[in-house]
Amino acid sequence: MKNSTEPTAVLRAENLTLGYDGPSIIHNLSLTVPEAQVTSIIGPNGCGKSTLLRGLGRLLTPRSGDVLLDGVPLGKQSTRNIATRISILPQTPTAPSGLTVADLVSRGRHPRQKWYQQFSLEDQTVVDDALRATDIAELADTPLEDLSGGQRQRAWISMTLAQETGIILLDEPTTYLDLAHQVDVLELVRRLNRRHNRTVVMVLHDISLAARYSDHIVAMKDGNIVAQGAPADVVTPRLLRDVFGLDAQVVNEPTDGRPHVIPLGHPATVPVGAN
């Protein structure tokens, strides 16, 4: 990608409170997103993971506090400027029927186009690069509805890549995918981070996969951050019990030494003698 060596932006939340129509879900939360790393947000259902991601991408207006991009609140920046710095892929994105992969990825160029400027040769080059980076160039003319779940997710990630943003936010990018396709998508995410210097923040449910593919993990409960840091420091039996109400063993992966979770059950149902 053209901007693979550009410096990444600094994204942080300060005393952030977020909610929808009812009570607040995120409570006075502060977080600095590590630059040029892959960060995964984990936690039980309803703890505020997706709400936080929406706030970081300015899809939700804070009730109090701020999200700052390079020190400037998102609320004081133009939508176009933010769209050239931050791309966000929601959990269940939708597209019009009949849209091809190339058409979808081309839409990622809209924030960088002027009203008087048509789709340029540079835009096409970026789209072609994004398709190659996600290994779906041969599917460019294929309608989205004809793709497998894994291929479709690659197409959406390709669109976010075509935006050429330093920060990519992904809300449960492995949802509805089988294990093989989950690994494919997460390998792609890590490759984009390593090769193209992207800062990635993603919400994941599978703790072991989060530990395997992340540099930094943020664990949430009841709208608050309860732990963050390297996977080995966060994914512990104590945290799994405290945050998820789950008794589990945590062992080191034989390939890379990263933590892997072996569930034992809820505390009240763990067999006598289990460790």
Side-chain angles (χ1 to χ4, degrees), residues 50 72 85 107 122 128 160 175 178 188 214 216 219 251:
S50 294
V72 181
R85 310 291 300 285
R107 294 186 174 204
E122 179 183 0
D128 291 342
T160 66
T175 298
D178 60 37
L188 167 62
S214 305
H216 189 82
V251 299

Side-chain angles (χ1 to χ4, degrees), residues 61 64-65 84 128 155 229:
T61 300
S64 63
T84 61
D128 291 342

Side-chain angles (χ1 to χ4, degrees), residues 241 247-249 262-267 269-275:
R241 177 185 279 263
D247 271 318
Q249 289 183 341
I262 301 175
L264 299 177
H266 293 291
T269 64
V270 177
V272 176
N275 294 320

Side-chain angles (χ1 to χ4, degrees), residues 22-263:
S24 295
I25 297 172
I26 300 295
H27 311 281
N28 199 35
L29 180 151
S30 294
L31 169 70
T32 297
V33 175
E35 292 183 69
Q37 293 188 25
V38 176
T39 296
S40 285
I41 305 173
I42 63 172
N45 290 340
C47 72
K49 303 184 298 295
S50 294
T51 301
L52 174 58
L53 201 75
R54 290 173 63 84
L56 292 175
R58 210 183 74 165
L59 297 183
L60 271 180
T61 300
R63 290 181 173 179
S64 63
D66 281 306
V67 176
L68 300 101
L69 179 64
D70 287 337
V72 181
L74 294 185
K76 295 183 179 180
Q77 301 190 41
S78 69
T79 299
R80 178 179 290 274
N81 180 66
I82 294 170
T84 61
R85 310 291 300 285
I86 303 172
S87 55
I88 181 167
L89 182 60
Q91 184 177 350
T92 53
T94 59
S97 178
L99 199 71
T100 67
V101 170
D103 291 336
L104 176 70
V105 178
S106 296
R107 294 186 174 204
R109 300 303 298 161
H110 289 177
R112 295 186 176 277
Q113 293 175 322
K114 308 294 185 182
W115 66 268
Y116 54 82
Q117 180 184 38
Q118 299 298 316
F119 198 76
S120 67
L121 180 60
E122 179 183 0
D123 291 325
Q124 187 61 58
T125 298
V126 172
V127 168
D128 291 342
D129 287 347
L131 290 168
R132 284 193 292 269
T134 53
D135 295 327
I136 56 170
E138 73 281 2
L139 299 173
D141 297 325
T142 304
L144 288 177
E145 55 262 34
D146 292 344
L147 301 180
S148 69
Q151 290 170 333
R152 191 176 300 115
Q153 197 70 324
R154 284 175 176 269
W156 284 104
I157 293 174
S158 185
M159 185 193 73
T160 66
L161 190 57
Q163 281 184 241
E164 292 191 301
T165 61
I167 298 171
I168 300 175
L169 310 178
L170 304 171
D171 192 358
E172 299 187 29
T174 59
T175 298
Y176 309 128
L177 301 181
D178 60 37
L179 181 58
H181 285 113
Q182 290 179 44
V183 170
D184 283 347
V185 167
L186 293 175
E187 290 281 358
L188 167 62
V189 169
R190 187 162 62 180
R191 189 163 67 247
L192 297 179
N193 163 257
R194 300 297 193 259
R195 294 183 183 177
H196 303 291
N197 203 37
R198 299 297 196 267
T199 297
V200 180
V201 183
M202 56 185 176
V203 171
L204 286 181
H205 277 296
D206 190 305
I207 304 168
S208 294
L209 288 178
R212 181 176 180 182
Y213 288 100
S214 305
D215 305 297
H216 189 82
I217 288 185
V218 175
M220 294 185 63
K221 182 180 180 181
D222 298 331
N224 298 290
I225 294 174
V226 296
Q228 61 176 309
D233 296 330
V234 175
V235 181
T236 65
R238 180 175 179 177
L239 178 125
L240 295 171
R241 177 185 279 263
D242 293 345
V243 172
F244 294 91
L246 178 71
D247 271 318
Q249 289 183 341
V250 177
V251 299
N252 293 333
E253 287 276 9
T255 54
D256 56 15
R258 287 175 176 257
H260 179 80
V261 177
I262 301 175

